[in-house]
Amino acid sequence: MKFSPEKLSIPDRRMQPFIDPGEIWSFINKTKADKVRVREIISKSLAKQRLTLEETAALVNAAGAGLTEEIKEGARELKQRVYGNRIVLFAPLYVGNKCTNNCRYCGFRASNAEAIRKTLDDGEIVKEVEALEDNGQKRLILVYGEHPSYSPQYIAHTVKLVYGVKKGNGEIRRVNINAAPLDIEGFRTVGASGIGTYQIFQETYHPDAYRQYHLGGKKRDYDWRLTALDRAQEAGIDDVGIGALFGLYDWRFEALALVRHTNHLEACYNVGPHTISFPRIKDSTSLQLDKQHELNDEDFKKMIAILRLAVPYTGLILTAREAPGVRKEALQFGVSQIDGGTKLELGSYSDTQNEAQDLNREQFKIADSRSLADVIDELLDSGYLPSFCTSCYRMGRTGEHFMEFSVPGFIKRFCTPNAILTLAEYICDYATGETAVKGWKVIEQNLDKLDPDVAGDTRIKIDKIKAGARDLYY
Ligand code: SAM
Ligand code: SF4
């Protein structure tokens, strides 16, 4: 059911800017939180209700190691209840780094003469996707600079190209996009190519700070970017991802603004964002930023735990910008998706000769350059269930429907069996002997937690996979 302002006689806020910095700062400055209040808020969240801005501010302001630990513990518990122990895996594929914008933090900015510009041609895209498939990837996010060359038609073309690449048992089953904001018609064109999520980060939600970091090009227009995902929704893309780039402005403000963005989308379109990302700034060529708003590891982990509690049903993405140790720890607090085997240099997945990172060819430097196999190995060692599931989006369980299905029982009926089936495929096609042993053990442990009829049916499907069947899902 789409939003209908006439029926409810409330103002239509679609495609209207919704961030009021004074309101957000007033929540941060005026909300006090004692132990009792913090515990009440955590309980509300554990009952799977989204938190208000005031409640999020209370968690942000909760001081002292004891309360921070309670927030983290709440987030651990909630993650377990809503997501179980699955971690969804994906990889980014940089398609082109030409850019007309001047974002001060980004190596691709137009004024950076050091950057080596490249757009993959169709043949190179196919080679990259084949290399990714050879590693076992099933879900990609395609990344583009903002440039007239990367028109909606071009983006749609590359999406279709990627879906068409099949090597051995390999195929990409979900293509997400991280690209510039489009107009409604542009979003329609890209949506029609069959994308999963359209992801756009606001970078900083604070309008004055935003102006200081975005020095040229279309991206200077804060409101155009802020309302981009409204236009995506109007164009029928109901699966959208939001994010902020941490280190540009006060993390407390950005955390509340992400919740504000979530409740804006929920109020207008009956569905919040599918995912939230919280990248921290990494080194890039000739980067000159002061470190005034740098987010340290401790506050970063607290912030992830707060977001987990604030938006119980929204996926949280943590990328290879972060070092393996930080990722491992942060996973517990509610992260549901990570990338593995990530390479940012254009064309580098298929270029096995050149393993060194060259900052002039990359948007920024990553801190976790482990292979997908190594990331999976660590997940298995830590008791997680790695998943390449793409079922909901292919079964039409997206947007509003995704929310409907995010109810007790859904995970055990759909998500866990699908994660098991995709892991079984990975083991059969790509895992080394040692990882395979660990993987089958984790599969057994997870089958044991399912209802007997679901476990029985899943075992039948696993046998089919062992016999050569692929792409079995619920
Ligand atoms: N050009 C499009 C845009 O700006 O939205 C999409 C792609 S941009 C390549 C993807 C994201 O990378 C940006 O939204 C920004 O948050 C992030 N990013 C840029 N520079 C970064 C840096 N130095 N460290 C970490 N993340 C960065
Ligand atoms: Fe261009 Fe995006 Fe980098 Fe900004 S963040 S310079 S828009 S690629």
Side-chain angles (χ1 to χ4, degrees), residues 105 144 178 201 203 219 225 245 280 282 321 363:
Y105 44 80
Y144 312 75
N178 183 315
F201 305 154
E203 320 298 10
K219 195 163 166 182
R225 196 165 178 92
L245 181 57
R280 288 194 288 184
K282 308 303 289 183
R321 291 173 179 86
Q363 191 192 11

Side-chain angles (χ1 to χ4, degrees), residues 368-389:
D368 185 354
S369 53
R370 289 174 300 168
S371 66
L372 177 64
D374 286 349
V375 170
I376 287 184
D377 217 51
E378 185 186 83
L379 289 175
L380 293 170
D381 282 339
S382 311
Y384 290 107
L385 175 61
S387 173
F388 293 93
C389 179

Side-chain angles (χ1 to χ4, degrees), residues 94 96 98-99 101 103-108 142-147 178-181 199-203 214 219 225 243-246 248 279-284 287 289 319 321 363-365:
Y94 278 68
K98 292 199 277 182
C99 196
N101 292 326
C103 310
R104 282 175 52 206
Y105 44 80
C106 178
F108 293 167
L142 305 189
V143 186
Y144 312 75
E146 181 158 3
H147 192 273
N178 183 315
Q199 183 188 67
I200 297 176
F201 305 154
Q202 186 60 25
E203 320 298 10
H214 299 100
K219 195 163 166 182
R225 196 165 178 92
L245 181 57
F246 282 82
L248 298 180
R280 288 194 288 184
I281 295 180
K282 308 303 289 183
D283 200 12
S284 68
L287 182 77
L289 289 181
T319 69
R321 291 173 179 86
Q363 191 192 11
F364 51 82
K365 202 172 173 172

Side-chain angles (χ1 to χ4, degrees), residues 205-356:
Y205 282 91
H206 195 275
D208 293 342
Y210 188 93
R211 259 189 296 282
Q212 288 169 29
Y213 290 109
H214 299 100
L215 303 180
K218 179 77 181 151
K219 195 163 166 182
R220 269 186 77 70
D221 189 340
Y222 171 95
D223 285 348
W224 176 251
R225 196 165 178 92
L226 189 68
T227 54
L229 295 172
D230 289 54
R231 294 191 296 282
Q233 292 279 356
E234 296 288 336
I237 298 177
D238 58 5
D239 196 323
V240 299
I242 64 173
L245 181 57
F246 282 82
L248 298 180
Y249 190 62
D250 194 305
W251 71 267
R252 301 170 301 166
F253 184 93
E254 308 294 12
L256 262 69
L258 286 165
V259 175
R260 181 72 189 89
H261 200 162
T262 300
N263 65 34
H264 168 78
L265 292 172
E266 279 181 10
C268 294
Y269 301 100
N270 272 331
V271 53
H274 185 57
T275 55
I276 295 184
S277 302
F278 28 84
R280 288 194 288 184
I281 295 180
K282 308 303 289 183
D283 200 12
S284 68
T285 34
S286 29
L287 182 77
Q288 284 167 340
L289 289 181
D290 65 42
K291 303 216 163 164
Q292 188 194 351
H293 295 298
E294 197 173 32
L295 176 55
N296 65 44
D297 285 356
E298 282 317 305
D299 284 341
F300 185 54
K301 284 178 261 174
K302 178 179 171 188
M303 197 264 319
I304 295 173
I306 290 172
L307 283 178
R308 174 67 300 139
L309 292 168
V311 291
Y313 284 124
T314 308
L316 297 184
I317 300 181
L318 184 68
T319 69
R321 291 173 179 86
E322 302 299 336
V326 175
R327 293 181 103 188
K328 190 173 177 186
E329 213 187 330
L331 276 185
Q332 313 164 45
F333 308 127
V335 169
S336 51
Q337 291 190 30
I338 60 171
D339 51 345
T342 293
K343 293 184 182 180
L344 299 195
E345 186 176 327
L346 283 105
S348 56
Y349 288 115
S350 51
D351 179 3
T352 47
Q353 303 302 311
N354 180 15
E355 292 291 325

Side-chain angles (χ1 to χ4, degrees), residues 168-188:
N169 282 333
E171 60 179 348
I172 301 303
R173 299 179 183 151
R174 180 173 175 128
V175 177
N176 299 330
I177 296 293
N178 183 315
L182 304 174
D183 59 19
I184 294 177
E185 209 34 55
F187 277 120
R188 264 198 205 108

